[in-house]
Amino acid sequence: MSNDQPYVQFKNVQKSYDGVILVVKGFNLDVAEGEFITMLGPSGSGKTTCLMMLAGFETATHGDIILDGQSINDVAPHKRNIGMVFQNYALFPHMTVAENLMFPLEVRNMPKSDAQKKVQKALDMVQMGSFGQRRPGQLSGGQQQRVAVARALVFDAKLVLMDEPLGALDKQLREQMQYEIKHIHDNLGVTVVYVTHDQSEALTMSDRIAVFDDGVVKQLASPSELYEKPDNAFVAQFIGENNTLRGKITSIDGNDCRVDIDGHGEMIAQAINIGGVGDMTTLSLRPERVWLDPDDTFPNVFEGKVEELIYLGDHIRTRMTVCGHDEFIVKIPNSTDHKDLQVGDTTKIGWKVEDCRALDCTD
Ligand code: ADP
Ligand code: MG
């Protein structure tokens, strides 16, 4: 296998459960060996279906899935050598933790002394080395998920699939486990295909993210590219916090365009994914890219009326009315001297063309 050959490939994969509705509509994805890739999207968008087809528990209605250069359409799930961690793919309750990890090794006929060493190593990796003799019922939810991660890794799978594995954990534990799983991935160099509906989880863990909507990938890119350069309004809205302003395109000049916001004023934006003059577009602008008291180098300067202030420690989340929209969010860093804004105040705000993207309304 050459190094640039993808380790996993979905080639024009479609899936229908009822023979009528496609819940996955022509899915293409190349995953490099050692990559951590996440399928992110709202509930019902087809993420689990794609993962189940890769695991072999569902068959594709159309298209090919390739693993390490071989089509696996006809390979049984247990012959794919894939590790799995699912929220509802529970540990065996009647077995101890160590027995749970021994199980995939026994299935593979590994000699017992080798298997015991592997089990201990896998448990140590998830900081559960001293819990081998406990039963799952004697562990917390977070500890059980650690064991589930260890079980997915114990037989040296080169590919591990995880479907919302942290969904049942509280926020603090979830964030801690995100870093732990990421570190394990970095240390072992396994390929991970991860599913979540939580955008911050996806940003934290992934090399690349495929953003799903209704069976279609809307954008496939690195976390920073998705956040900084969303291709369409769906991705801009789904990843991170976003100000959305709709308006009509009044002129296009190279890479920039002017957009009239319902007669409230004209903004200059990057023309990313738009129609022509006279068409509607959706502007996307991140709350932390809005400046207070902008100087005259700013091409976009507007008046904002403060509607609500929420103190969040490191920043003050400010909701304003701007150009007739009362859901405009500005994040004011706590280190600036704008901390004494009051509800009802009017202030000048501005932003740069490079931080404002005109995206297609139909997306
Ligand atoms: P996600 O994981 O993104 O929430 P799923 O892949 O579970 O999405 O579901 C995609 C669509 O397929 C949904 O409309 C869901 O109702 C439907 N679906 C999922 N599993 C089945 C099934 N076993 N039988 C019929 N429809 C299903
Ligand atoms: Mg799902």
Side-chain angles (χ1 to χ4, degrees), residues 44 47-49 163-164 195:
K47 310 176 299 287
T48 294
T49 300
D163 193 347
E164 314 254 6
V195 163

Side-chain angles (χ1 to χ4, degrees), residues 6 8-15 24-32 35 37-39 46 50 53 60 62-66 193 208-212 215-221:
V8 176
Q9 271 184 298
F10 287 84
K11 283 185 164 173
N12 197 19
V13 170
Q14 298 181 353
K15 175 67 181 177
V24 176
K25 302 172 181 164
F27 179 46
N28 288 290
L29 177 69
D30 287 0
V31 184
E35 196 171 19
I37 205 144
T38 296
M39 302 183 197
C50 287
M53 290 189 286
H62 179 88
D64 273 318
I65 302 178
I66 316 264
V193 183
R208 286 188 304 155
I209 301 169
V211 183
F212 275 65
V216 173
V217 173
K218 301 294 269 187
Q219 192 171 355
L220 169 66

